[in-house]
Amino acid sequence: MKGKRRRHRTTLVVAFALIAGLGATVPATADTPYPFRDPTLPVGKRVDDLLGRLTLDEKISLLHQYEPAIPRLGIQSFRTGTEALHGVAWLGRATVFPQAIGLASTWDPALMQQVGSAVGDEARGFQQQRPDGWGLNLWAPVVNLLRDPRWGRNEEGYSEDPELTGALATAYGEGLTGGDPDHLKTAPTLKHYLAYNNEVDRATTSSDLRPRVEKEYDEAAFKPAIEADAATGVMTSYNLVNGRPSTVNPDLNDVVRKWTAQSLLNVTDAFAPGNLVTPQQYYPTVTEGDSAALKAGVDSFTDNSADPGPTTTAINSALQQGLLKTSDIDTAVSHILSVRVRLGEFDPGGGKYGSIDASVINSPAHQQLARKAAAEGMVLLKKSVTLPLKVSQENVAVVGPLADTLYTDWYSGTLPYAVTPAQGIAAKLGTGVTTSEGVDRIALRDTATGKYVTAGTGDTGAPLQETTNTPTTAAQFDAFDWGSGIVTLRSAANGKYVGYNWSNFVNDQTQPNGWYVQQQFKLEHQDDGTYLLKYAGYETSESWWSSPLYLGPTDANGTLGLVPKDQAAHYAKDVVRSGVADAVAAVKGKDTAVVVVGSMPSINGREAHDRTDMSLAPSQEALVKAVHQANPKTVVVVENSYPTTLGALQKEVPALLWTSHAGQETGNALADVLYGDVNPSGRLTQTWYQSESDLPSILDYDIIKSDRTYEYFQGTPLYPFGYGLSYTTFRYGTLKPVSGGYEVPVTNTGTRTGDEVVQLYTHQRTSRDKEPLKQLKAFQRVSLKPGETKTVRLKIQQKDLAHWDVTRSKWTVESGTYDVMAGASSADIRARTTWRVHGETIPPRNLSKTTRAENFDDYSGIHLVDESKARGTAVGAVADGAWLKFADAQLGTGARKFTARVASTGAGTIEVRLGSPTGKLAGTAHAGGTASSYDYETVTADLSSAAKGPTDVYLILSNGLRMATFIVQ
């Protein structure tokens, strides 16, 4: 009788959960208390139970992003992929926090965890309504390292440094998960695995990752969050790595899953499975591509939008052809179900977080957190006696193209409200401020007809036409310059931007937006003084674009359309109002001039589009100079999401502050910092370079050889990694070793309370291998009152000094002296000591054992390529004379034979040389050619008597030759 009562009670709880919590129809079998619905059972047992109840077709249906409901078991639909980079996006109004790069600039893991927790709450807050696009599998954070600031998606990442990135990603992830891996608030997915840092040809370019770069740099950013169970999987990237598409990267299983005992749910990026066929041409069919991805470690396919048909058809076909086994399906589905169980989906009431409702979305607490995060992430680059500003000096002008607006980016949520810089400063002062966007207002007159281009006056605008001989308000446009010749045109008639709608040009957009950002134009100056108006939406650079690019009248009514260049209208550009003159007038005589310049997130680099330069737009730089000349008490605010080459400007202006596009509270946070209510404590997470000439190709991923990032950069940066000023000053005491790390006393020697970010770096003085100039190992924020001293402890262990030894494919800590440095930035070291480490000595190379060619010490003229489609890396020569160096090889009394495993569709050679690429020739191996680049042959060469003793061995490859392994014996 007691057992019956318990069963009846469980049935009622389950039924109630299905009706009230999950919104699914109660099936006829709901009176059965399935073990997968029992929250007291271990996750694994619940997964096994549910897996055993699913039919094969039902299992296959779960492999697509849009997982359908299974009514017979009372299971609701599930979707992977809600965007939550800096707030829940694309679901409606929700708290918009600063961009990821802005959050990272706080160097504050505790704050990152708070923000992650708030975002997780808001994702849960939508669970009752379940709007389109909602789910609890969140695609965040982005942990790709920001090794190149020209990357269009720089705003989405955290840092160029793996230690900082890993710590912040872990903190954000712990906030999203709730901190209990068995009871998930949400299920965060790390983006994008692996080595994805360019948008140009992103689906077809290959990132060359030599083993040291892969282990010490790229993997190091992903590992901490997975290892800490602060993420539940990774998303594969669009690019190839060492010649193999990331969608079929075997590291998903072989490496990533070994970082944790928890089941991971790995997903592909949108449409990436289809890329395996076109444009990557890696597999001839979707069936072969999808099966390879599944076996590599992908569990959920993001392809064909909401249509699962092509994916399920391909998986079924793969089973029929023997490319997959049902066990492969079971493995992937068990990963998916593990996350769904841990999310509480099958628990009564939706589990631990099932009661969270819409009241958390944009709550007052989250608004305050957004303000705090925005303020903490602002970086003071240059200060003068002007800062902090005084509230008593209330005669202020706030000018510039970003002075009184907020822009959102591609992955932003919908702003519930917007506090612009001008509004935030006005609120701080309790009085109005003078504003000017500093943007030219122009009218465009067709020199052939004398008629001006006009726009619609209503809220929805109208197609642009040439209609009037006078420059009325309808014929006036504010021309915003975003650099690289790109302008946007905002109609004075209704305050809306002009955009292309695949038919007409209409003034109906609140801000530039959309995948193709169809609000972009160029005003091309002609020799006769006129201008051609050129359309520059992103789709015009696509291979399929075939329409003309220039604007001109296309009918008797003067409606503008796209025409060939020789038919384009020639316009006189009448400046109705000079932006510079208007801003200068606004700032003259004011106590303070605040000029806000920067980027438009949809234009100055974004997903699918890298930056061509990192400078301010020319007209913005001219505006700053003019404002400063008119009012010496000028504070310049740069609002963008990437390091900026400010040139002479940063020397000329007295005060300079950087902020990301910092969300709904940008203006209030900016006012808090400028007026000293918040002492600036943000620090740069990337090196700011003097110019683009400091950088190699954006496609060069070898940070060691090309001296990338602060770790290896030999030049003088504009601002170094870790840099940021305060309104107070700090003194560092003696750096001393303690158990588990080092400690250093830090004193606030100024007159204001402030936060210092204490950074600990190491440098290995001598090594067999090229080592970083400095490497961040730990950091900690510390808040100090005036005159206060705190001892800061920074954790570091000897194992943290390890680097990847390519001679033995293992982590190693070398014996030797290490510099240990504490300071305010990578270039501002305030305390240092040395650490005598008793580790090991890397022995000479033993080339008599099979050596993988990828484990070279140096190279020229080669790319890393896929040894086979399934796994392995080989080297491929891209020019005759390409060479590989294997340093410090011990050949003993003499090596007699060289043997290599090579592939080549034509004949080729490998020369064995000693000491240098042009050194003594010890032997030559001849390859006859193989059927394909994946078919290998063994080639040999007899070696001369010179091949002995300790020496550097160089292998010289002819163009087109691939080599996987070799032996010298």
Side-chain angles (χ1 to χ4, degrees):
M1 194 68 180
K2 183 177 179 181
K4 289 184 178 179
R5 285 198 194 99
R6 181 178 180 183
R7 176 175 176 176
H8 181 63
R9 183 168 60 251
T10 303
T11 302
L12 288 176
V13 170
V14 171
F16 178 77
L18 288 169
I19 296 170
L22 305 181
T25 303
V26 181
T29 57
D31 60 342
T32 304
Y34 296 131
F36 76 83
R37 292 197 179 279
D38 184 352
T40 67
L41 292 177
V43 172
K45 288 192 179 234
R46 298 176 70 184
V47 169
D48 289 344
D49 176 70
L50 178 51
L51 188 67
R53 297 180 188 281
L54 297 173
T55 67
L56 180 58
D57 285 343
E58 287 169 341
K59 293 173 186 177
I60 292 172
S61 76
L62 301 182
L63 298 178
H64 189 262
Q65 178 187 24
Y66 287 82
E67 302 175 26
I70 302 175
R72 71 181 185 85
L73 293 175
I75 295 175
Q76 63 183 342
S77 62
F78 185 85
R79 178 184 182 273
T80 62
T82 294
E83 301 292 352
L85 186 59
H86 53 108
V88 182
W90 305 357
L91 300 181
R93 297 180 186 275
T95 308
V96 178
F97 293 93
Q99 291 175 308
I101 186 68
L103 290 173
S105 298
T106 66
W107 288 60
D108 190 342
L111 178 64
M112 292 289 289
Q113 186 170 359
Q114 285 182 283
V115 173
S117 182
V119 175
D121 283 347
E122 296 203 10
R124 280 282 182 175
F126 286 99
Q127 66 186 346
Q128 312 302 334
Q129 293 78 27
R130 294 170 60 93
D132 287 344
W134 174 84
L136 293 176
N137 174 243
L138 306 185
W139 286 355
V142 170
V143 297
N144 295 109
L145 292 165
L146 307 182
R147 51 147 207 135
D148 195 309
R150 294 168 298 190
W151 186 33
R153 303 183 75 168
N154 196 82
E155 66 202 32
E156 298 181 36
Y158 289 149
S159 172
E160 68 183 38
D161 179 77
E163 172 69 27
L164 179 58
T165 296
L168 297 179
T170 299
Y172 191 70
E174 285 176 343
L176 291 174
T177 64
D180 179 353
D182 286 333
H183 299 87
L184 299 169
K185 183 189 297 185
T186 64
T189 302
L190 304 183
K191 298 164 68 171
H192 312 77
Y193 195 86
L194 185 69
Y196 170 40
N197 195 218
N198 64 274
E199 296 304 294
V200 57
D201 299 327
R202 62 182 181 172
T204 55
T205 56
S206 180
S207 305
D208 279 13
L209 291 188
R210 59 196 285 191
R212 279 195 64 196
V213 175
E214 182 168 6
K215 296 295 182 183
E216 296 173 24
Y217 193 64
D218 286 277
E219 282 183 9
F222 283 83
K223 184 177 180 180
I226 297 291
E227 198 170 45
D229 293 325
T232 58
V234 300
M235 172 191 283
T236 60
S237 54
Y238 283 118
N239 56 291
L240 296 81
V241 174
N242 297 343
R244 182 180 295 106
S246 293
T247 310
V248 291
N249 188 341
D251 285 357
L252 295 171
N253 280 331
D254 299 348
V255 176
V256 178
R257 284 202 156 96
K258 292 179 180 178
W259 292 337
T260 177
Q262 290 283 355
S263 286
L264 298 179
L265 165 52
N266 295 330
V267 307
T268 74
D269 209 335
F271 302 101
N275 288 347
L276 290 168
V277 179
T278 303
Q280 291 167 346
Q281 299 182 350
Y282 204 70
Y283 290 100
T285 66
V286 174
T287 295
E288 291 167 276
D290 282 7
S291 62
L294 197 74
K295 288 195 287 187
V298 165
D299 305 305
S300 179
F301 292 81
T302 315
D303 210 5
N304 302 291
S305 299
D307 179 10
T311 297
T312 56
T313 298
I315 297 298
N316 275 304
S317 178
L319 287 168
Q320 293 167 7
Q321 295 178 40
L323 298 174
L324 289 175
K325 300 176 182 177
T326 54
S327 60
D328 296 320
I329 309 300
D330 286 350
T331 297
V333 173
S334 70
H335 297 152
I336 296 167
L337 295 180
S338 174
V339 168
R340 293 181 66 170
V341 166
R342 288 182 279 153
L343 282 168
E345 179 181 343
F346 310 123
D347 292 357
K352 182 177 180 179
Y353 301 102
S355 63
I356 297 176
D357 60 23
S359 64
V360 302
I361 300 172
N362 191 39
S363 66
H366 291 178
Q367 294 172 10
Q368 287 300 311
L369 183 60
R371 182 169 181 167
K372 176 179 171 64
E376 260 195 44
M378 293 179 181
V379 182
L380 183 60
L381 299 175
K382 185 177 183 180
K383 65 178 179 179
S384 68
V385 292
T386 305
L387 291 176
L389 303 176
K390 297 179 175 62
V391 174
S392 59
Q393 296 175 332
E394 60 183 29
N395 191 11
V396 175
V398 186
V399 303
L402 283 82
D404 204 21
T405 190
L406 293 186
Y407 289 121
T408 55
D409 61 53
W410 180 250
Y411 287 106
S412 286
T414 303
L415 291 168
Y417 60 86
V419 183
T420 70
Q423 291 170 340
I425 292 172
K428 182 70 67 177
L429 296 174
T431 185
V433 297
T434 304
T435 63
S436 167
E437 291 178 310
V439 173
D440 286 348
R441 177 161 289 185
I442 65 172
L444 298 174
R445 176 172 51 85
D446 190 328
T447 57
T449 65
K451 291 187 176 181
Y452 285 91
V453 176
T454 59
T457 57
D459 189 59
T460 57
L464 298 190
Q465 292 178 286
E466 294 181 2
T467 63
T468 180
N469 294 100
T470 57
T472 62
T473 301
Q476 297 174 16
F477 301 89
D478 297 320
F480 290 79
D481 174 17
W482 299 113
S484 300
I486 297 294
V487 299
T488 53
L489 300 174
R490 189 183 63 196
S491 171
N494 67 353
K496 296 293 185 69
Y497 287 86
V498 176
Y500 183 54
N501 61 10
W502 304 100
S503 178
N504 297 117
F505 293 91
V506 182
N507 58 316
D508 61 353
Q509 300 297 305
T510 302
Q511 73 169 52
N513 65 91
W515 183 253
Y516 292 117
V517 194
Q518 295 177 306
Q519 300 80 32
Q520 300 182 84
F521 299 90
K522 290 186 176 183
L523 284 166
E524 293 187 349
H525 189 261
Q526 305 300 296
D527 292 339
D528 62 0
T530 64
Y531 291 83
L532 301 184
L533 186 57
K534 183 179 182 179
Y535 174 57
Y538 282 147
E539 76 271 31
T540 61
S541 62
E542 297 287 343
S543 59
W544 47 261
W545 179 267
S546 59
S547 300
L549 295 175
Y550 290 85
L551 274 66
T554 55
D555 61 25
N557 294 325
T559 302
L560 295 189
L562 291 173
V563 298
K565 186 175 183 178
D566 60 2
Q567 298 176 28
H570 284 247
Y571 292 109
K573 185 178 74 172
D574 299 342
V575 178
V576 179
R577 183 189 66 213
S578 165
V580 168
D582 192 63
V584 165
V587 303
K588 277 187 176 178
K590 296 296 190 293
D591 294 330
T592 307
V594 179
V595 55
V596 189
V597 293
S599 71
M600 201 287 131
S602 290
I603 293 174
N604 295 104
R606 199 211 65 188
E607 183 172 356
H609 295 276
D610 294 314
R611 266 174 290 284
T612 55
D613 65 67
M614 299 181 293
S615 61
L616 284 179
S619 67
Q620 292 190 26
E621 188 164 346
L623 174 68
V624 172
K625 291 180 179 180
V627 167
H628 179 226
Q629 187 174 6
N631 189 329
K633 299 175 183 177
T634 293
V635 177
V636 178
V637 177
V638 177
E639 184 180 344
N640 64 15
S641 43
Y642 49 89
T644 310
T645 52
L646 295 173
L649 196 65
Q650 60 91 23
K651 297 179 181 178
E652 297 172 3
V653 298
L656 188 61
L657 182 82
W658 174 84
T659 177
S660 69
H661 294 278
Q664 63 200 51
E665 285 286 340
T666 298
N668 283 332
L670 179 61
D672 288 343
V673 170
L674 291 181
Y675 286 89
D677 294 322
V678 172
N679 195 337
S681 58
R683 301 293 184 264
L684 299 179
T685 66
Q686 291 177 270
T687 302
W688 282 41
Y689 296 96
Q690 300 276 359
S691 74
E692 290 81 10
S693 64
D694 288 331
L695 296 167
S697 165
I698 195 172
L699 300 179
D700 184 347
Y701 278 76
D702 190 347
I703 68 164
I704 298 175
K705 188 174 179 67
S706 59
D707 294 330
R708 276 185 177 272
T709 80
Y710 81 94
E711 290 190 31
Y712 295 96
F713 182 57
Q714 302 280 351
T716 301
L718 182 69
Y719 293 111
F721 172 81
Y723 176 85
L725 301 177
S726 170
Y727 293 151
T728 190
T729 54
F730 301 97
R731 183 180 66 242
Y732 286 56
T734 302
L735 182 65
K736 297 179 180 179
V738 293
S739 177
Y742 285 81
E743 67 177 22
V744 60
V746 180
T747 304
N748 184 340
T749 54
T751 59
R752 290 175 174 270
T753 297
D755 285 12
E756 172 70 323
V757 179
V758 182
Q759 303 162 40
L760 187 76
Y761 296 88
T762 63
H763 167 67
Q764 185 174 342
R765 289 188 178 179
T766 59
S767 173
R768 177 198 181 276
D769 301 308
K770 181 178 178 180
E771 292 295 327
L773 303 172
K774 286 189 186 76
Q775 198 168 25
L776 182 72
K777 294 298 182 180
F779 64 93
Q780 186 175 324
R781 286 179 66 100
V782 57
S783 183
L784 296 167
K785 298 175 183 178
E788 184 180 11
T789 299
K790 288 183 180 178
T791 297
V792 178
R793 288 204 168 192
L794 299 152
K795 294 180 181 179
I796 183 173
Q797 301 178 58
Q798 181 169 309
K799 67 181 181 64
D800 298 326
L801 302 175
H803 77 275
W804 188 254
D805 172 21
V806 295
T807 71
R808 296 172 295 169
S809 295
K810 58 172 283 191
W811 291 101
T812 185
V813 177
E814 290 181 282
S815 295
T817 300
Y818 292 72
D819 294 311
V820 183
M821 301 160 279
S825 80
S826 60
D828 185 5
I829 301 302
R830 307 283 185 88
R832 65 173 65 232
T833 187
T834 57
W835 185 359
R836 182 62 188 173
V837 172
H838 299 287
E840 63 176 321
T841 299
I842 298 175
R845 274 190 184 270
N846 181 3
L847 299 183
S848 66
K849 296 182 178 180
T850 299
T851 298
R852 296 205 62 81
E854 66 180 307
N855 285 326
F856 49 74
D857 290 295
D858 199 3
Y859 63 95
S860 176
I862 69 101
H863 278 307
L864 292 167
V865 295
D866 49 338
E867 182 178 358
S868 72
K869 289 193 174 183
R871 58 182 16 90
T873 297
V875 298
V878 294
D880 285 331
W883 55 263
L884 301 170
K885 177 184 179 181
F886 297 87
D888 192 28
Q890 180 54 262
L891 302 184
T893 57
R896 297 290 177 260
K897 189 174 183 180
F898 169 78
T899 305
R901 185 167 169 264
V902 301
S904 175
T905 54
T909 61
I910 303 175
E911 296 178 351
V912 181
R913 292 186 177 271
L914 308 176
S916 77
T918 57
K920 183 178 289 294
L921 178 65
T924 302
H926 295 270
T930 57
S932 78
S933 56
Y934 299 121
D935 292 311
Y936 287 82
E937 63 176 325
T938 299
V939 299
T940 62
D942 293 329
L943 301 180
S944 69
S945 60
K948 63 183 179 180
T951 187
D952 294 340
V953 173
Y954 285 79
L955 303 181
I956 319 301
L957 282 64
S958 58
N959 187 23
L961 195 68
R962 288 185 171 206
M963 179 167 62
T965 60
F966 70 94
I967 300 174
V968 180
Q969 59 187 167

